[in-house]
Amino acid sequence: MNLPTFKLTYKVTLLIVVPLVFALLFVSLLILNLNQAEQDIEAEARATEVLIEVHQSIRDVMSACGGMLILRMYHEPKVLHDTTWAIGKLKEDRERLITFADDNPSQAPDIRAFVKLLDQGSYIFKDLLETRDDSESLSTVRVMGQMKSFSEILNVEGNKLVEKKAEEGRVYRQKRKDDRQHIEFLIQLFTGIGLVLSLFLGFGLITTVFKRLGVLMRNTANIGIGKPLEEPLSGSDELALLDQVVHSLSDDLIFLRQKERALIDNAAEIICSLDRALRISQINPAVERILGYDPDELLGTSIQVMVHPDDKENVHNNLKGLTTLSAQISFEARILDTTGGYLEMAWMARWSQKDRNIFCVVHDITERKEAERMKQEVFAMVSHDLRSPLTSVSMTLEMLDDGILGPLNERGVKLANSANESVKSLMTLINDLLESERMEHVGLVLDIVDTDVEKLILQTVDFVTPEAASKSIQINVDGKCRTTLLDPDKIRRVLINLLNNAIKFSDQDSTITISMEDVTDNRGSISAIEIRVVDQGPGIAADKQTLVFEKFKQAGRRDEGEKRGSGLGLAICKKIVEAHGGTIGVKSGEGTKGSIFWFRLPLTGQTATK
């Protein structure tokens, strides 16, 4: 029997079932022999009881015979009483013997024969008692002869029965001795077999389970430390199958490590590991391409040697703090290259408790930083060099329109108005661009005050009414809502942007509705306010509705040139609403009439500074 070919479940079942069956067999045989021994002891006890009762019956007969002889010679009341009592004892002896005969069918014939003799004696004694007054008709010699004859017969039969019962007792004692020897033999036999079986099964368990499990555990540990695995386990049980999985996993890990090594070696970023003293223990070849250093030359070098003097403290604090935080951090620091210049680098570092090393990924952001600086310069130029001249041009055009610089003919007024509108559009674009950039880098600071929302909406409507009137668009205000904490200037800008968009995309002689209402939560309490701007424009396709709140994205068609803008207004609205802890969205459909732009502001006052 080749145990390794068995499944582990079968092995465990075998190790449990075999000793259990063996134990059950042993217990069953032991109980069987004990029951037999108990039956023999009971039989021996019954034979002894019969023997004692026979002896007692013979003594009682002898007592009755002696009493009858004395009664024949002396007619004393006491003698009569004693003789009558002795004869009565024979009846009790008879009943007990009958009981023994009923309980022991195998011994019943001998006992009943003896009982028959007792019955004859009882009849003789009874007859003698009834005729004891007619003593003249019966001689004492005759009575003595009857007594003697009955006694001899009873004694002979009783002795036969006694000898037979005594022989049975010897036989039962010998059987009891044999039973005890048999039980002792069974205990010794099963103890020996059990010991051999335990040693065999234990050895089988050790060789087929524990040793194989040890090999499996060592192979698993070797995977973690990168050591070669031991030979695969033979057989087809669960441990062998699991060992096959471990070997397959090891092969996969080796392949992945090789692939990882190849990825690290060919990565565009510098990947390195540092010890607790911030010395380089490993670094990939990208350092040669980016900084010009040979990777082998840097092994054992402190990273602080390569860091810009102004950034050394920042690098030290960030990397040293990792050994206690066990987290991932990001920071920026400049590194020296082989040309003597410093490159702007973005660092991402993580402490590995297992390897006792700091793993770093260092990305060159020099070009990005340069682009950001150029971007800032462009915005500074837009802010100062473009906005100021445009403001002057706008003021000049307004003066021409008002006739301050002299009267203009009808065509001149029209051109001046058109030019002024173009300048204003350009100013709006510049302001939106600068505001968006400021929100992106500086953040959005809210000036939260308790604000009457209805009054704020009415003021906003008054502000955009002239533009709406130019297209004969009517603006209606509907609903009521409570006052709440918000930044009125920022929310006014949201409302202006939404209304301007609605006016721009609405047809002549249409209607725009701005509504407000309180919003209740599941418990029926007012938790927020919601404001909606409903227009009658062309609608927005579903796949473009998520784009309208992104920077420089619009949902209009390219043939709607007069309706296109910068794509910054709604993005600014979203930032303002989210800074208040609210949400903004749109409901519309391409081909339907109108769009609904809505935003919701919470009443809890939980706003954020973005």
Side-chain angles (χ1 to χ4, degrees):
M1 181 174 62
N2 188 11
L3 288 179
T5 61
F6 284 1
K7 290 187 177 295
L8 188 61
T9 305
Y10 297 158
K11 295 178 186 177
V12 175
T13 304
L14 185 65
L15 294 173
I16 295 174
V17 170
V18 171
L20 182 60
V21 172
F22 178 78
L24 290 175
L25 178 62
F26 169 68
V27 171
S28 300
L29 291 175
L30 187 61
I31 291 175
L32 184 63
N33 281 269
L34 288 175
N35 289 336
Q36 184 62 44
E38 186 177 358
Q39 293 175 4
D40 293 340
I41 292 172
E42 291 178 354
E44 181 184 2
R46 288 192 296 270
T48 302
E49 289 176 352
V50 171
L51 189 61
I52 293 172
E53 192 59 39
V54 169
H55 279 293
Q56 182 64 40
S57 299
I58 293 174
R59 285 197 298 270
D60 291 340
V61 169
M62 292 299 106
S63 297
C65 289
M68 290 300 298
L69 292 174
I70 295 172
L71 186 61
R72 282 294 174 178
M73 294 184 291
Y74 304 100
H75 297 282
E76 295 292 335
K78 184 177 184 308
V79 176
L80 177 61
H81 176 271
D82 292 340
T83 302
T84 303
W85 181 81
I87 294 171
K89 286 273 290 182
L90 291 177
K91 293 181 180 180
E92 296 178 1
D93 296 338
R94 180 186 183 279
E95 295 298 328
R96 285 193 291 272
L97 288 171
I98 289 296
T99 302
F100 287 142
D102 293 339
D103 294 340
N104 301 278
S106 62
Q107 302 175 2
D110 296 332
I111 297 174
R112 291 187 185 279
F114 186 76
V115 169
K116 188 175 182 181
L117 289 174
L118 287 181
D119 291 340
Q120 292 177 1
S122 297
Y123 177 77
I124 293 172
F125 291 142
K126 181 179 180 182
D127 185 54
L128 291 175
L129 284 175
E130 291 176 350
T131 58
R132 61 185 174 79
D133 293 336
D134 191 11
S135 60
E136 298 299 331
S137 62
L138 295 174
S139 65
T140 303
V141 176
R142 181 185 172 197
V143 172
M144 290 179 63
Q146 289 179 339
M147 296 294 112
K148 181 180 179 183
S149 177
F150 174 71
S151 299
E152 288 176 352
I153 294 172
L154 184 66
N155 192 41
V156 170
E157 295 298 328
N159 286 335
K160 289 181 180 179
L161 184 59
V162 168
E163 289 178 1
K164 189 174 183 179
K165 296 303 175 185
E167 181 63 25
E168 289 180 358
R170 286 191 293 273
V171 172
Y172 285 132
R173 284 194 293 275
Q174 183 60 39
K175 289 184 66 177
R176 188 172 59 181
K177 182 179 179 180
D178 293 342
D179 290 339
R180 184 172 61 252
Q181 291 177 349
H182 192 199
I183 291 173
E184 290 177 353
F185 173 75
L186 282 177
I187 293 175
Q188 293 173 359
L189 176 64
F190 276 88
T191 301
I193 296 176
L195 181 61
V196 173
L197 186 61
S198 298
L199 291 175
F200 174 75
L201 293 177
F203 178 76
L205 181 65
I206 291 173
T207 55
T208 62
V209 178
F210 291 156
K211 283 187 176 180
R212 294 161 65 80
L213 187 60
V215 172
L216 184 61
M217 293 177 64
R218 289 193 296 273
N219 283 340
T220 305
N222 289 341
I223 289 179
I225 60 179
K227 290 180 60 178
L229 271 61
E230 299 182 18
E231 290 296 323
L233 294 176
S234 60
S236 59
D237 61 349
E238 290 89 343
L239 293 179
L241 295 177
L242 185 58
D243 187 62
Q244 293 176 14
V245 174
V246 171
H247 277 78
S248 176
L249 178 62
S250 176
D251 295 339
D252 292 341
L253 287 176
I254 291 174
F255 174 75
L256 289 175
R257 283 170 180 164
Q258 293 173 349
K259 187 175 181 180
E260 179 185 11
R261 185 72 257 174
L263 289 174
I264 292 175
D265 290 344
N266 295 284
E269 294 84 8
I270 298 173
I271 301 175
C272 63
S273 59
L274 311 175
D275 59 19
R276 296 178 69 94
L278 304 185
R279 292 188 297 264
I280 300 173
S281 56
Q282 287 183 329
I283 194 165
N284 69 332
V287 69
E288 184 173 7
R289 176 177 54 80
I290 297 174
L291 298 177
Y293 297 105
D294 188 323
D296 295 334
E297 294 178 356
L298 295 178
L299 297 180
T301 303
S302 174
I303 194 67
Q304 292 289 66
V305 176
M306 305 168 62
V307 176
H308 191 281
D310 295 341
D311 297 335
K312 288 182 182 293
E313 184 177 357
N314 180 39
V315 172
H316 181 272
N317 293 339
N318 278 291
L319 295 180
K320 280 293 185 179
L322 271 179
T323 58
T324 57
L325 293 175
S326 297
Q328 180 173 297
I329 63 170
S330 299
F331 60 93
E332 295 180 2
R334 290 163 288 180
I335 294 184
L336 180 69
D337 62 12
T338 53
T339 64
Y342 286 92
L343 298 181
E344 298 276 358
M345 311 296 283
W347 294 64
M348 185 175 66
R350 178 179 60 84
W351 167 255
S352 172
Q353 186 66 31
K354 178 181 177 181
D355 299 303
R356 312 295 293 175
N357 273 332
I358 302 172
F359 290 97
C360 302
V361 177
V362 187
H363 178 64
D364 183 7
I365 58 172
T366 304
E367 294 182 359
R368 192 189 78 188
K369 286 289 187 178
E370 183 63 27
E372 288 180 356
R373 282 192 288 269
M374 293 177 63
K375 182 180 177 182
Q376 293 299 325
E377 292 176 359
V378 169
F379 278 107
M381 182 267 293
V382 169
S383 178
H384 297 90
D385 298 342
L386 289 181
R387 190 160 55 174
S388 297
L390 286 174
T391 302
S392 299
V393 171
S394 178
M395 293 176 61
T396 302
L397 291 173
E398 288 179 357
M399 292 172 65
L400 285 172
D401 186 36
D402 293 337
I404 297 175
L405 300 179
L408 296 176
N409 57 24
E410 182 178 352
R411 186 169 180 274
V413 171
K414 185 176 180 181
L415 290 175
N417 287 333
S418 177
N420 195 22
E421 289 297 325
S422 299
V423 171
K424 287 181 178 180
S425 297
L426 185 57
M427 286 289 295
T428 300
L429 173 60
I430 292 173
N431 290 333
D432 286 345
L433 188 61
L434 293 175
E435 181 67 16
S436 176
E437 184 65 18
R438 188 183 66 81
M439 289 181 182
E440 189 74 26
H441 291 84
V442 180
L444 182 60
V445 180
L446 301 179
D447 184 13
I448 302 296
V449 296
D450 196 12
T451 305
D452 186 339
V453 179
E454 294 182 38
K455 183 177 179 180
L456 180 64
I457 291 176
L458 292 174
Q459 291 175 351
T460 307
V461 170
D462 290 340
F463 183 81
V464 299
T465 295
E467 186 175 354
S470 65
K471 297 178 67 174
S472 300
I473 295 175
Q474 182 179 355
I475 300 178
N476 297 328
V477 179
D478 185 29
K480 291 185 177 181
C481 64
R482 62 173 55 196
T483 61
T484 185
L485 293 173
L486 51 81
D487 186 331
D489 293 335
K490 300 296 190 299
I491 297 300
R492 182 183 292 108
R493 180 163 187 177
V494 172
L495 292 171
I496 290 174
N497 281 341
L498 295 180
L499 288 171
N500 283 335
N501 273 352
I503 294 170
K504 180 168 61 175
F505 288 99
S506 293
D507 297 332
Q508 292 279 346
D509 301 317
S510 59
T511 301
I512 296 174
T513 302
I514 179 169
S515 62
M516 68 197 101
E517 66 176 0
D518 295 327
V519 180
T520 57
D521 55 20
N522 295 332
R523 295 173 297 180
S525 301
I526 298 175
S527 60
I529 62 169
E530 183 173 294
I531 300 174
R532 294 182 296 273
V533 176
V534 184
D535 61 45
Q536 296 177 340
I540 303 173
D543 59 341
K544 295 183 178 181
Q545 291 178 15
T546 57
L547 302 177
V548 296
F549 294 102
E550 296 183 15
K551 293 172 62 174
F552 308 112
K553 297 290 181 66
Q554 288 187 314
R557 299 187 302 272
R558 293 198 177 272
D559 58 355
E560 297 172 338
E562 74 281 5
K563 297 179 182 179
R564 295 184 59 80
S566 65
L568 293 172
L570 291 178
I572 294 174
C573 291
K574 182 180 180 182
K575 286 184 176 293
I576 293 174
V577 171
E578 290 179 349
H580 282 80
T583 54
I584 188 170
V586 60
K587 298 178 182 178
S588 183
E590 190 174 16
T592 61
K593 194 67 174 176
S595 301
I596 302 175
F597 282 85
W598 59 271
F599 63 93
R600 184 175 295 182
L601 303 176
L603 294 180
T604 57
Q606 296 179 352
T607 56
T609 300
K610 300 290 183 180

